[in-house]
Amino acid sequence: MASSENEGDAFNNLLDDLVCHILSFLPTKMAYRTSVLSKRWALICTKILDFHFVLPKISDPTSSREIQSVYAIFLRRENDIRKLMLESDNGCQQPDVYHWVLKALDLKVKELHLDLNHARPSFLPLKLSTSESLVVLKLGGNIQPKFSYCSKVYFPKLKTLHLLFLGIKCFRHQVEFTLFPFLSGCPLLEEFLLHDVLVNQSIKISFPLLKRLILILRKSLDVPGDKTLQINVPSSLEVFRIFDNGSTPIKYESIDFFNVDEATIYINKHPDFDSLYQLLKGISKVKSLYLVSQHGG
């Protein structure tokens, strides 16, 4: 009997830091339910470093209990955090996202993951553009960072940047969002993923410490003219993957890799010979190459 009791109390005998680590794998709302167990568990919940909120679709987000729980749990936080993950399928409003991201920045968040499937774009606070704490930034969905050429954008510690399905809008020759600030404000970047973002301007990628580069691109039909892709990365790059899904391929210029171990190239339409030559020439020393080209009749 005594042995059974000891086994049942084994979890309570764990150190607070270990319990916090275990709770971090649960959705934050579920993890915080343990606070009713005892004063000790209530204290442990205040030490959780990773926050993960999933907000399902709802007809009236202003009355959502899920949103209320985020405000109750997250905005009361005083100690610094490690990670904020927010997944929303029309489950909250734009001001909610703005306030939560701002709070995370105030708490010196190191990893920020936003996946927002909203009818209207979510605008992020300008403070994000000069975060000195972010190491990982992953933005997906209908998000408009609103960084411009005149904005100061600098992420001194950022090592991983993923931009997925961003809500980019084009108005004839004007682009509401430009990649330039992201591509010039990350001196320590090691992994860059650009996934299915409309390519409405030429892209120049030059990260001195980059190890992994993954590009999944499509070109907008609304913006005329050729768009070029320039990549100049020193010998640090190890993995290069590009999926060109545009109706007309992007022109490749100044592709220059020295130490790529693995390369994957998928081109939906035949590029012109010179462009393809520049691309293949730039990865001539690759150790593993997967090459696919598809085109209509």
Side-chain angles (χ1 to χ4, degrees):
M1 185 70 176
S3 176
S4 176
E5 291 178 354
N6 290 335
E7 291 175 359
D9 199 47
F11 197 79
N12 284 326
N13 291 332
L14 296 176
L15 296 176
D16 288 0
D17 290 345
L18 182 55
V19 175
C20 281
H21 180 70
I22 295 172
L23 292 179
S24 68
F25 290 96
L26 299 175
T28 302
K29 184 179 178 181
M30 183 179 297
Y32 263 73
R33 289 176 179 171
T34 63
S35 62
V36 302
L37 297 177
S38 67
K39 291 183 178 180
R40 183 208 174 198
W41 282 87
L43 181 61
I44 287 175
C45 287
T46 65
K47 298 179 181 179
I48 292 176
L49 296 176
D50 299 341
F51 290 80
H52 183 193
F53 298 106
V54 181
L55 304 177
K57 187 174 183 179
I58 188 171
S59 58
D60 183 12
T62 58
S63 61
S64 169
R65 291 185 177 180
E66 299 291 339
I67 293 179
Q68 293 172 7
S69 68
V70 177
Y71 277 106
I73 294 171
F74 191 56
L75 292 192
R76 293 178 183 176
R77 176 75 178 206
E78 296 181 356
N79 299 326
D80 291 347
I81 66 173
R82 179 171 53 200
K83 180 190 298 185
L84 172 62
M85 296 181 63
L86 176 61
E87 301 177 43
S88 175
D89 181 12
N90 283 315
C92 64
Q93 295 182 312
Q94 190 276 327
D96 299 318
V97 175
Y98 186 95
H99 289 306
W100 297 337
V101 172
L102 192 60
K103 177 65 174 180
L105 294 172
D106 289 339
L107 298 177
K108 297 180 174 56
V109 62
K110 294 181 179 180
E111 298 185 29
L112 180 61
H113 305 239
L114 301 179
D115 184 5
L116 308 179
N117 180 21
H118 291 174
R120 295 183 179 181
S122 295
F123 299 100
L124 304 182
L126 190 59
K127 184 177 180 179
L128 173 66
S129 65
T130 55
S131 170
E132 296 184 358
S133 62
L134 277 176
V135 177
V136 176
L137 177 60
K138 298 182 180 181
L139 303 179
N142 198 358
I143 299 175
Q144 303 254 351
K146 278 293 188 181
F147 299 158
S148 65
Y149 282 91
C150 59
S151 301
K152 180 182 178 181
V153 180
Y154 186 56
F155 301 98
K157 296 182 180 179
L158 196 68
K159 292 186 177 182
T160 300
L161 174 62
H162 290 187
L163 305 176
L164 303 91
F165 306 103
L166 292 188
I168 298 175
K169 295 182 179 180
C170 309
F171 301 94
R172 293 185 180 181
H173 299 285
Q174 295 182 348
V175 181
E176 189 171 293
F177 169 82
T178 175
L179 287 171
F180 176 79
F182 275 123
L183 303 186
S184 62
C186 312
L188 300 183
L189 202 66
E190 296 181 357
E191 177 174 311
F192 179 45
L193 184 151
L194 187 65
H195 187 178
D196 215 19
V197 175
L198 291 175
V199 179
N200 303 311
Q201 67 251 342
S202 296
I203 301 176
K204 183 177 181 180
I205 298 175
S206 181
F207 300 120
L209 303 179
L210 198 66
K211 295 181 179 180
R212 295 176 58 86
L213 176 60
I214 303 171
L215 304 173
I216 304 174
L217 307 173
R218 58 192 174 101
K219 180 183 173 185
S220 171
L221 299 176
D222 299 330
V223 180
D226 293 330
K227 306 304 170 187
T228 62
L229 174 65
Q230 298 182 17
I231 307 175
N232 186 4
V233 180
S235 58
S236 60
L237 194 69
E238 299 172 357
V239 176
F240 173 57
R241 297 172 186 166
I242 181 167
F243 301 83
D244 185 350
N245 294 317
S247 56
T248 57
I250 300 168
K251 287 185 175 295
Y252 309 104
E253 296 181 357
S254 302
I255 308 297
D256 196 3
F257 302 145
F258 300 99
N259 196 39
V260 176
D261 290 329
E262 174 190 331
T264 300
I265 301 174
Y266 175 97
I267 302 175
N268 188 44
K269 298 288 185 178
H270 281 315
D272 62 83
F273 176 81
D274 291 338
S275 180
L276 183 58
Y277 174 76
Q278 289 292 335
L279 178 61
L280 296 178
K281 179 183 177 183
I283 59 172
S284 59
K285 295 183 180 180
V286 67
K287 298 177 181 179
S288 174
L289 174 63
Y290 182 72
L291 178 63
V292 177
S293 178
Q294 294 187 3
H295 59 94

